[in-house]
Every structure is written in C-alpha cells, then in structure tokens.
C-alpha cells in the first residue's frame, strides 16, 4: 500500500468516526422519540385517540418512565397502562403455560411430553407476536385489554388455578380466572365486576386472538401445507381457510354461531371453545412471518355473557391424534385431513380401525405398516388375480391381433377396432378386464396417500435407517436445484421408484404392451418420484412394500395360470356358436355398433 492510498483511507475513517459522533441524537431527542413511540402504542391500544394533546403526550411519557401522571390516571383504566411485565407459570402433567401480566394473556404454551423435530422443547407459540384481548368502550374511549397491565391475586399459581385482575377501581375490575383442566384443556372464565355503568357494550365483548405459530417439524413447506384455521359451527359443520394461500373470511352476525376455532398446525392445535358460541366471526391466515414461524393466524369474534354475567371459555393445546381429538368431543377430530369424498370414509371407517387394532400389539410402526399392507393385499388379491388373468388372455391373443392388423392395415383404425372386438367376443375375452380391477383398487391406494401424511402416530417414530416416519428420510442433500427446488434425495422414495420401474417392466411382459403404452408406464414413476420425494417416509415405505408384495402375488399367480390352457380355452370359445341376443347386448355390442356407424360416416366423407 503506497503513502497516498494509506492517507486517503485514514481520512475516510476519520470522516466516518466524526460523522458518527456529530450526527448522534442528543439525549433529549432520544427521549422525545421514545415518548412518540409510546404515544403511538397507546393510540393502537385505544387508550388515546388520534387527536392526542400535548398534555396527553406528557402523560404517555410519564407512563413510559414508570411515573403515574394525573392526566393518565384520568383515562379509563389509566393506572393499568404502567407496570413491569411478569410471567407466571401454570401447568399440569401435559401442558405448561406462562401467563403474562400484560394483557393477562397466555404468553406461551409448551407441551411437556413432546419435542420439536430437532429435540427442543415444543412451544406452540410465545412472545409479543401473539395476542389475546377484549375490546370495548369505556368512558367514551376504546379499550383493548391486551396492552393493559393485570395484577395476579396471588404471587404464584396455586392448585392449577390463577386469577389475573385488571382494575378500574378497588371495587370495579375484570378477572381472568385460569384453571388447568384434564390433560390438554385450560379453562378461562372472564368475570367483569361492577363495570355495568363503565363498559358501554352491554353484555357483548369483542375478542381478538392471534398467534404466530412456531416451526415444529422438519419440512416447513409441508408443515405450512397442513396448517390453517379450522372452525366448527353450532350445526356441526366444520370448515377451514385455504392452507395453500393467505386468506381472510367473515361470518356475519346473523349467520350460524361458531363454537370452536382452531389454529391448526400439522400435528398440533391451539383451539378456543365457547359453549355460548361466537358471533360475527372473522378469520385470517398469513405466511408473512419470520423465518422460524410457519403462519400467523388470527380471529376476531363477538361473545355474549352467560346468565351469570361471565364469559366462560376453554382452550385445547395438544396433539392432532385422532383418538385424542375425538375424546374432546365437539367433532374436533374432523380437522384431521383424511381426504375428500369416498377417500375420507375409507380412511375413517376401514384403514384407521385396522391401524388402531394393530397398535394394541405394541409393535414398531414399521412392522405395523408391513402388516397393514399385507392385510390390504390379501383383501385385494381376488381383484389382482382377475387383472392378471385378463392380461394373460390379451397376451395369448396378441398373435391373432397382429394378423388382423397386418390384414386390415393401420389406415382404417375404426375397422381395425371392429375386427378386434369381433375377436374378443368370439374368444370370450373382455379387453377391459385388466383395467377394471386396477380401477377398483385406486381409491384405496389414493386413500393411503392422504392417510399417512396426517397420521400423528408416525411422528418421531423410527424404523431401520428412517429416523422419523412422518417426514422424509435423507440419503443425499445439496443446494436447491433450479426450477425443481429439490434440496435432498429420499432413500425410501428412491427405493419405491426403482421397485415401481421394475414392476412396470414385468407388467409389460405380462400384458404384452407395445408402442407408446410400453413407455408411458416408465414415465409415471419418475413423475411420482418428484412428487413424493418430500412426502413421509412411512408413505413411501408403504408403496415400496406394496410393490414387493405385488411381485410375490404375480409370481404365485403365474404358477397357477398356464398360457397353453388359456389358449386352448380361447380356441374352444371361438368354436362355440354365438348367441344372437347376447351378441346384440352388452358393452362390446354397443362399441361395435358405434364403430360401424363411424365407419359408414368415414366412407360417406370419402365419397
């Protein structure tokens, strides 16, 4: 470095250091900015309006400094605007809560018997990004309890109960009474005392509840895909916001009331119940959160007091295990996504009961999936046999079909299909016989596609090299690939794809597929690899087992099915006289008639 360069850099450094000290705000400027920020927070809380006077600003500054100003005390609940936050612990065997004196709200929720994917304490939400407050008007001023200071009536929670008090005067106050219920339930009773002449909303309070839900699982993309707001109305209907996009929804005051609202994550939920029901309900979800959270969820509701003038509420903080949610009542288990239409009923009334039965043996979940797959294959084995037999018949007929093709030519596909149908009818072969059994099996295969990703029981369960059957296993990681976005290769998904390609090869040998149909079968497994690479290892393990058992089934069936016997039977069928009535009925006859008409239309066009 030469002398001029050194001198230049030294001067630049002096200018930067000098600018830092010369432009640094004075203590008075810092104090004024703090006063302004606190005034803004009071405006947002509804404690002062947008036309705040200088006296109001001074009062806010005094509150910020911890001094109770006389102007501030004149505001409704003015004394509750100052104080120091305290966190009070309330817990039972399953749930540990921290209740804040600011807002008297639940500051954090920890499920004591569960951990995150990386073995940290499982905290559903915590911190200043979560809110719970009632909004009403008092003394002509809008009030939001979420930013006011409550006082615990006892220094520590006793016997699983805690009362937080928001004081208006010594004889006028609002109590939040928390009591720990069984397992995952927490009761909250809101009791206004002596405030009839102060609160101008009558027996109706507006409640705003929001939570920024933490990332708990390995794959944040999948966790967001299964996380959204669910709600249940008093007629027993369950609905939800779209998990795929940010969404808001409003239910008018004159519509059906909502009796529970759930901030549902993939495997855990935070649910708020009201026996009286919520009216005029708003819901919202957004992914505009920090990198450690999955979504911000919010609801604004109106709630009426009961006959005693109180507002009884209840929380559920716990796992999305089907049996656990069902035990809570109120159709809470309906927020578990078991698929749409018939898939839901297959999973709910067939797959789930069998799975629960196998759980009783206390086997590893990898063994349970193995047995479940075996039982399914046994149930579907008659359809598999019929499908194989039909494909074997088509394979035996292929030489004769090739002769017809050579005789008719490929220039007249309609006539060619007519001749094929004649051959099928004479031979007593149904060309769709190999497809129909497979189509009947498809709803069950797709049902498993929805069953395993929603199955809480697989969470954290290991088998072989798979550390968690509820998420993907990783054999290779790398930077995100352009367009595809892949960052890993799942070992079980790779095995499943390889086994599917092998199955396709042998299936083509059985069916005698040629041309484009022969190669289409190889493309589908590659597409599914791209889709299932980030799906649970348990799901890919099931598909892999299904392929292996299909290989075994086809081997056994092949020992039972003799192509020579099938060929002899076909020849015997061809010798039998055709029944005129039978020939004119059925799907084959209709297809032949349609093709005949198409052939005539083509000939007419040529003329």
């Amino acid at each position: 470095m030469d002398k001029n360069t050194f001198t230049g850099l030294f001067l630049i450094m002096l200018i930067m250091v000098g600018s830092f000290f010369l432009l640094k705000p004075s203590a008075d400027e810092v104090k004024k900015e703090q006063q302004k920020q606190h005034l803004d927070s009071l405006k947002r809380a509804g404690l002062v309006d947008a036309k705040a006077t200088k006296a109001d600003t001074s009062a806010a500054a005094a509150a910020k400094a911890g001094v109770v100003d006389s102007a501030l005390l004149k505001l409704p609940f003015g004394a509750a605007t100052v104080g120091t936050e305290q966190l009070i612990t309330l817990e039972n065997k399953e749930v540990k809560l921290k209740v804040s004196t600011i807002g008297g709200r639940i500051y954090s929720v920890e499920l004591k018997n569960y951990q995150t994917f990386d073995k940290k304490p499982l905290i559903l939400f915590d911190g200043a990004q979560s809110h719970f407050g009632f909004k009403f008007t008092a003394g002509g001023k809008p009030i939001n309890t979420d930013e006011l200071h409550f006082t615990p009536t006892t220094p520590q929670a006793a016997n699983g109960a805690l009362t937080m008090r928001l004081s208006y005067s010594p004889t006028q106050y609002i109590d939040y009474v928390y009591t720990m219920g069984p397992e995952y339930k927490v009761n909250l009773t809101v009791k206004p005392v002596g405030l009839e002449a102060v609160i101008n909303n009558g027996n109706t309070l507006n409640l705003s509840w929001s939570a920024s839900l933490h990332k708990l699982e390995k794959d944040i993309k999948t966790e967001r895909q299964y996380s959204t707001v669910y709600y249940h109305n008093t007629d027993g209907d369950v609905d939800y916001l779209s998990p795929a996009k940010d969404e808001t929804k409003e239910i008018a005051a004159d519509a059906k009331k909502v009796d529970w609202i759930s901030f549902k994550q993939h495997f855990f939920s935070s649910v708020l119940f009201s026996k009286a029901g919520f009216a005029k309900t708003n819901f919202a979800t957004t992914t505009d959160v920090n990198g450690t959270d999955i979504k911000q969820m919010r609801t604004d509701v109106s709630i009426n007091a009961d006959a005693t003038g109180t507002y009884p509420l209840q929380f559920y903080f716990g796992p999305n295990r089907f049996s656990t949610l069902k035990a809570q009542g109120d159709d809470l288990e309906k927020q578990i996504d078991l698929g749409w239409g018939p898939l839901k009923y297959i999973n709910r009334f067939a797959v789930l009961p069998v799975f629960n039965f196998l759980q009783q043996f206390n086997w590893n979940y990898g063994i349970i999936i193995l047995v479940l797959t075996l039982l399914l294959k046994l149930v579907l084995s008659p359809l598999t046999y019929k499908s194989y037999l039909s494909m074997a018949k088509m394979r035996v007929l292929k030489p004769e079909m090739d002769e017809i093709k050579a005789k008719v030519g490929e220039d007249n596909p309609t006539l060619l299909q007519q001749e094929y149908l004649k051959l099928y009818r004479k031979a007593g072969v149904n060309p769709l016989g190999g497809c129909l059994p497979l189509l009947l099996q498809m709803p069950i295969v797709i049902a498993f596609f929805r069953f395993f990703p929603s199955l809480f029981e697989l969470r954290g369960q290991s088998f072989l090299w798979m550390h968690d059957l509820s998420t993907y296993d990783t054999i290779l990681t790398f930077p995100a690939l352009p367009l595809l976005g892949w960052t890993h290769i799942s070992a079980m998904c790779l095995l499943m794809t390889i086994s599917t390609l092998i199955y396709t090869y042998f299936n083509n040998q059985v069916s005698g597929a040629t041309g484009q149909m022969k190669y289409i079968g190889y493309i589908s497994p590659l597409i599914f690899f791209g889709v299932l690479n980030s799906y649970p290892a348990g799901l890919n393990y099931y598909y892999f087992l299904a392929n292996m058992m299909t290989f075994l089934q086809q081997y056994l069936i092949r020992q039972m099915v003799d192509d020579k016997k099938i060929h002899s039977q076909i020849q015997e069928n061809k010798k039998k006289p055709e029944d005129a009535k039978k020939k004119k009925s059925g799907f084959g006859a209709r297809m032949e008639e349609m093709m005949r008409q198409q052939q005539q239309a083509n000939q007419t066009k040529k003329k």
Side-chain angles (χ1 to χ4, degrees):
M1 181 183 296
D2 59 27
K3 182 178 179 180
N4 291 334
T5 302
F6 176 80
T7 302
L9 291 175
F10 181 73
L11 290 174
I12 291 173
M13 183 180 68
L14 286 178
I15 292 172
M16 293 176 64
V17 173
S19 299
F20 174 79
F21 286 102
L22 291 174
L23 299 177
K24 182 179 179 181
S26 65
D28 290 339
E29 290 174 331
V30 172
K31 187 175 181 180
K32 288 180 180 179
E33 180 62 24
Q34 289 175 342
Q35 292 173 358
K36 181 179 179 297
Q37 290 179 0
H38 185 62
L39 178 60
D40 290 341
S41 69
L42 290 175
K43 289 178 182 178
R44 290 193 298 271
L47 296 176
V48 296
D49 57 27
K51 299 178 181 179
T53 64
K54 292 183 179 180
D56 295 330
T57 304
S58 300
K64 185 70 175 181
V67 179
V68 181
D69 187 89
S70 58
L72 187 62
L73 287 173
K74 293 178 182 179
L75 295 173
F77 295 96
T81 60
V82 294
T84 302
E85 183 177 26
Q86 301 176 43
L87 298 178
I88 301 172
T89 300
L90 193 63
E91 61 184 315
N92 61 15
K93 294 188 299 183
E94 301 288 348
V95 181
K96 181 178 180 180
L97 306 179
K98 289 184 179 180
V99 181
S100 173
T101 55
I102 298 180
R105 64 185 177 89
I106 297 175
Y107 178 88
S108 70
V109 178
E110 178 183 347
L111 299 183
K112 297 164 65 174
N113 296 319
Y114 297 98
Q115 294 180 318
T116 62
F117 74 98
D118 51 356
K119 307 304 179 185
K120 295 180 180 178
L122 195 148
I123 298 174
L124 298 181
F125 60 84
D126 65 357
Q129 292 182 330
S130 299
H131 301 277
F132 184 92
F134 288 94
K135 298 179 180 180
F136 51 87
T137 302
K141 298 290 184 179
I143 302 297
N144 183 355
T145 64
D146 184 57
E147 295 191 13
L148 299 178
H149 289 262
F150 285 62
T151 302
T153 57
T154 54
Q156 294 294 329
N159 299 320
L162 172 67
T163 299
M164 303 292 287
R165 177 165 296 179
L166 174 63
S167 295
Y168 184 84
S169 74
T171 59
Q172 296 170 297
Y173 51 84
I174 299 175
D175 278 349
Y176 285 6
V177 181
Y178 291 96
T179 54
M180 300 300 293
E183 295 186 333
Y184 306 103
K185 288 287 186 71
V186 180
N187 299 308
L188 169 60
T189 303
V190 180
K191 296 181 177 181
V193 177
L195 294 174
E196 294 82 2
V198 177
I199 297 179
N200 301 328
N201 296 52
N203 288 329
T204 301
L205 294 179
N206 296 319
L207 171 63
S208 180
W209 179 37
S210 64
S212 187
L213 304 178
H214 294 333
K215 178 178 182 290
L216 306 176
E217 312 304 330
K218 181 178 180 179
D219 185 6
I220 192 170
K221 182 179 179 181
T222 300
E223 191 171 7
R224 283 176 175 158
Q225 181 182 343
Y226 286 91
S227 300
T228 190
V229 175
Y230 276 74
Y231 58 94
H232 179 273
N233 65 35
T234 50
D235 282 353
D237 299 323
V238 175
D239 204 351
Y240 56 92
L241 302 189
S242 171
K245 61 181 181 180
D246 296 349
E247 187 178 6
T248 60
K249 186 173 183 178
E250 179 178 350
I251 299 177
D254 57 350
K256 298 173 185 176
K257 287 188 175 182
V258 171
D259 52 18
W260 60 253
I261 301 163
S262 175
F263 293 171
K264 176 188 176 291
Q265 296 177 244
H266 191 179
F267 289 123
F268 298 92
S269 288
S270 303
V271 188
L272 178 63
F273 296 85
S274 171
K275 291 183 179 179
F278 303 111
K280 196 179 178 181
T281 311
N282 288 277
F283 310 103
T285 62
T286 178
T287 52
D288 185 17
V289 292
N290 61 51
T292 60
D293 291 348
I294 56 168
K295 283 185 179 180
Q296 175 84 22
M297 300 185 186
R298 178 183 59 80
T299 182
D300 296 297
V301 299
S302 295
I303 179 173
N304 295 323
D306 63 11
T308 64
T310 62
Y311 301 84
L313 301 170
Q314 189 177 62
F315 290 97
Y316 168 86
F317 300 115
N320 293 335
R321 184 189 294 109
F322 190 92
S323 58
T324 302
L325 293 179
K326 186 173 177 59
Q328 311 305 315
D330 297 312
D331 299 324
L332 201 60
E333 74 280 0
K334 288 185 178 180
Q335 65 177 325
I336 297 180
D337 184 9
L338 294 177
W340 50 268
L343 306 182
K344 176 172 62 178
Y345 296 104
I346 291 172
N347 284 326
R348 172 68 180 84
F349 298 107
V351 181
L352 190 59
V354 175
F355 185 87
N356 290 337
F357 171 77
L358 295 175
Q359 277 188 305
Q360 299 176 5
F361 297 100
N362 294 320
W363 295 333
N364 180 281
Y365 280 93
I367 302 300
I368 291 177
I369 295 175
L370 172 63
V371 176
L372 184 65
T373 310
L374 179 60
L375 292 175
L376 177 64
K377 283 297 181 180
L378 288 175
V379 171
L380 297 178
S381 57
L383 293 176
T384 304
Y385 176 79
K386 289 183 179 180
S387 177
Y388 184 93
L389 186 61
S390 180
M391 288 189 292
K393 290 179 179 179
M394 293 295 294
R395 184 178 66 252
V396 170
L397 278 179
K398 191 174 184 306
E400 296 183 48
M401 294 174 65
D402 291 341
E403 291 179 6
I404 293 174
K405 187 175 182 179
K407 180 179 178 181
V408 175
E410 299 183 20
D411 297 334
N412 195 337
T414 303
L415 179 60
L416 181 62
Q417 290 300 321
Q418 282 182 319
E419 295 299 321
Y420 281 166
L421 287 174
K422 289 180 183 178
L423 176 62
Y424 297 151
R425 189 175 64 251
K426 289 180 181 179
V429 174
N430 182 359
L432 299 179
C435 300
L436 290 177
L438 293 177
L439 290 176
L440 293 175
Q441 296 181 53
M442 284 304 295
I444 299 177
V445 174
I446 299 175
F448 275 84
F449 180 77
R450 304 305 295 268
F451 178 73
F452 283 108
S454 299
L455 192 61
F456 177 85
E457 284 80 353
L458 296 185
R459 186 180 186 274
Q461 299 296 325
S462 61
F463 182 67
L464 300 177
W465 67 86
M466 297 170 282
H467 300 297
D468 188 346
L469 290 170
S470 71
T471 188
Y472 58 84
D473 59 312
T474 305
I475 192 175
L476 181 64
T477 58
F478 40 79
L481 297 179
L483 300 178
L484 296 176
W486 295 353
T487 59
H488 68 276
I489 296 294
S490 166
M492 186 51 72
C493 186
L494 185 61
L495 286 176
M496 181 275 297
T497 303
I498 293 172
S499 66
T500 306
L501 291 171
I502 295 173
Y503 168 76
T504 301
Y505 171 78
F506 284 108
N507 197 52
N508 286 340
Q509 302 301 310
V510 173
S511 63
T514 57
Q516 293 181 347
M517 292 302 298
K518 180 178 180 180
Y519 298 103
I520 289 177
Y522 294 109
I523 298 175
S524 298
L526 299 178
I527 295 175
F528 277 111
F529 174 78
V531 173
L532 297 174
N533 188 46
S534 293
Y535 269 70
L539 176 65
N540 286 312
Y541 173 55
Y542 157 72
Y543 285 141
F544 172 74
L545 289 175
N547 286 339
M548 294 296 101
M549 292 181 187
T550 300
F551 293 155
L552 178 61
Q553 280 182 321
Q554 290 193 350
Y555 174 78
L556 296 176
I557 293 173
R558 185 172 296 183
Q559 306 306 310
M560 300 164 54
V561 175
D562 188 344
D563 285 5
K564 292 182 179 180
K565 289 184 179 180
I566 293 175
H567 184 267
S568 299
Q569 182 63 47
I570 288 176
Q571 298 308 316
E572 289 294 326
N573 292 338
K574 290 168 66 175
K575 294 177 182 179
K576 294 179 181 178
E578 295 184 7
D579 186 284
K581 293 182 179 181
K582 184 176 181 181
K583 182 175 69 172
K584 294 297 181 181
S585 63
F587 175 78
R590 290 194 294 271
M591 286 292 296
E592 185 176 351
E593 177 62 20
M594 289 173 60
M595 290 181 180
R596 186 185 64 79
Q597 293 176 2
Q598 182 65 35
Q599 177 70 10
Q600 290 178 349
N602 291 338
Q603 291 176 352
T604 302
K605 288 180 181 180
K606 291 179 180 180
K607 291 179 180 180

